Amino acid sequence: MNRIGYDNLQLLLTLKQADRDYLMPMHILNTTDQPLVPVTVTPEGHGIYLTDKRRSSDVLTLLQERMNKEGWTYDTQMGSGYLFTKEQQNVIVETTIWNRNYVKITIPGNVVTLAE
């Protein structure tokens, strides 16, 4: 095995499983034109997505487009969360900077599938 392959293998072995879940979405974001990629659904049922902030500098616009397709209306920003409403329901979509170049998006209850 060449040195680069060995180094990558060592890196993979040291990552926690939660971090490993992000490797394929990061690869997809770096090798395709997809602006948003699903990562996982948590045991609590929350949908986790990843976007590359170097290409999608306006996460709010991306969220509004995707949420509007499903009938949700943007209401307000609450810190790093964005409040959307639909009929009598409210959902706060949380965003977190992940690994400097990416934004992790959490959809409570996975009420919407953001990926196309």
Side-chain angles (χ1 to χ4, degrees):
M1 182 179 303
N2 65 30
R3 182 71 183 159
I4 294 172
Y6 181 74
D7 289 343
N8 288 338
L9 179 61
Q10 282 186 311
L11 174 65
L12 282 172
L13 292 174
T14 60
L15 291 174
K16 297 181 284 185
Q17 181 59 47
D19 292 332
R20 284 187 220 143
D21 291 342
Y22 289 87
L23 292 177
M24 185 54 74
M26 287 169 51
H27 174 72
I28 292 168
L29 287 169
N30 286 315
T31 58
T32 69
D33 62 350
Q34 291 185 44
L36 186 79
V37 178
V39 175
T40 190
V41 175
T42 68
E44 298 82 19
H46 305 315
I48 306 294
Y49 297 84
L50 201 63
T51 186
D52 187 332
K53 73 176 190 168
R54 296 168 295 185
R55 291 190 301 155
S56 302
S57 60
D58 190 1
V59 173
L60 177 57
T61 300
L62 179 63
L63 283 173
Q64 285 178 314
E65 290 171 359
R66 300 296 172 94
M67 296 292 284
N68 286 342
K69 285 182 184 179
E70 301 293 327
W72 292 88
T73 304
Y74 172 69
D75 189 3
T76 190
Q77 183 172 352
M78 303 172 73
S80 63
Y82 300 98
L83 176 65
F84 288 88
T85 58
K86 179 180 179 180
E87 298 167 3
Q88 299 299 317
Q89 297 178 328
N90 293 323
V91 66
I92 298 174
V93 176
E94 299 175 10
T95 60
T96 313
I97 301 297
W98 190 85
N99 194 10
R100 184 179 42 203
N101 295 319
Y102 302 92
V103 178
K104 179 176 113 176
I105 300 169
T106 304
I107 306 291
N110 209 20
V111 295
V112 147
T113 301
L114 294 180
E116 294 182 329

